[in-house]
Amino acid sequence: MAAWAGWVATALTVSSYFFKRPVTLRLVQATSACLWLVYGSLIHSGPVVVTNVLVVVAAVSSIFLRGVRAPTQTAG
């Protein structure tokens, strides 16, 4: 079971590099991080769990922060 979660998480993480829309990218990253959390829990690895909790928080919060803030414009 642990190996399965790790391989699916790996596939999602790699696939995230192919998405161009920032929201889609963040959603795929958050989903893969959730799978890494499952994997880390199954193998009892604190660093894997903590790292991916931070990734989920960063990915999800960046989705909401970008939705609230107006994009900055540069002069030019």
Side-chain angles (χ1 to χ4, degrees):
M1 175 69 169
W4 177 85
W7 285 116
V8 173
T10 298
L12 278 175
T13 301
V14 171
S15 74
S16 73
Y17 289 95
F18 296 100
F19 292 96
K20 294 183 183 199
R21 290 184 54 223
V23 171
T24 305
L25 169 70
R26 302 295 191 299
L27 287 172
V28 173
Q29 287 176 333
T31 303
S32 67
C34 287
L35 282 171
W36 282 117
L37 282 169
V38 170
Y39 176 75
S41 297
L42 290 171
I43 66 167
H44 306 288
S45 177
V48 173
V49 170
V50 171
T51 299
N52 287 288
V53 164
L54 296 173
V55 171
V56 169
V57 169
V60 171
S61 64
S62 71
I63 291 169
F64 290 108
L65 289 176
R66 287 190 187 272
V68 172
R69 282 192 255 158
T72 59
Q73 296 182 4
T74 58

